[in-house]
Amino acid sequence: MARRRPGTLFPIEVDILESGLALQASEGSFYGFALAKHLASRDGSALTGHGTLYKALARIIEAGVLEASWEDPARAEIEGRPRRRLYTVTAEGSRALEKAQAETSRQVAQVPRITQTGATFA
């Protein structure tokens, strides 16, 4: 596992928060498989691996960026499926995402200056 500086997010965690907020805006909360489908639809890739996604979800729940709860068992029974674990992005999660996006924007803004200097690398 890569080491992280305190208060930073890994790229998959940023993707989870962005997709989670989009799903949360329309559904009120979201569950893992819907999140995986949304992530895949954003960039046209295959679904994120179960282990990768759920380990990342567990890390950011522990960090206070997401909250999780189990859905009402009656709803799952009516729909004939297992219960889902539902996630919501916390206020801390929204702030962490804004900070990560600002950092990414800052880094991207610096790239043109580097390439404009005409430096070559061999």
Side-chain angles (χ1 to χ4, degrees), residues 66 71 80 89 94 101 105 110:
L66 285 182
E71 77 175 334
V89 179
S94 293
Q101 290 170 330
S105 295
Q110 291 178 346

Side-chain angles (χ1 to χ4, degrees), residues 68-95:
S69 62
W70 288 100
E71 77 175 334
D72 180 15
R75 180 173 179 179
E77 187 176 330
I78 289 169
E79 295 180 13
R81 58 171 173 72
R83 287 172 61 192
R84 295 174 176 154
R85 191 160 189 200
L86 302 175
Y87 303 94
T88 54
V89 179
T90 63
E92 179 64 29
S94 293
R95 286 190 296 276

Side-chain angles (χ1 to χ4, degrees), residues 12 15-16 19 34-46 48 53:
I12 190 168
D15 292 343
I16 287 170
S19 289
L35 178 64
K37 288 192 315 186
H38 192 272
L39 288 167
S41 71
R42 286 176 36 168
D43 61 11
S45 67
T48 302
L53 178 63

Side-chain angles (χ1 to χ4, degrees), residues 22-33:
L23 291 167
Q24 190 171 307
S26 63
E27 305 291 325
S29 61
F30 55 95
Y31 57 97
F33 187 67

Side-chain angles (χ1 to χ4, degrees), residues 3-18:
R3 291 186 182 206
R4 86 167 76 203
R5 291 182 319 205
T8 61
L9 297 171
F10 288 126
I12 190 168
E13 295 167 346
V14 171
D15 292 343
I16 287 170
L17 291 175
E18 289 172 344

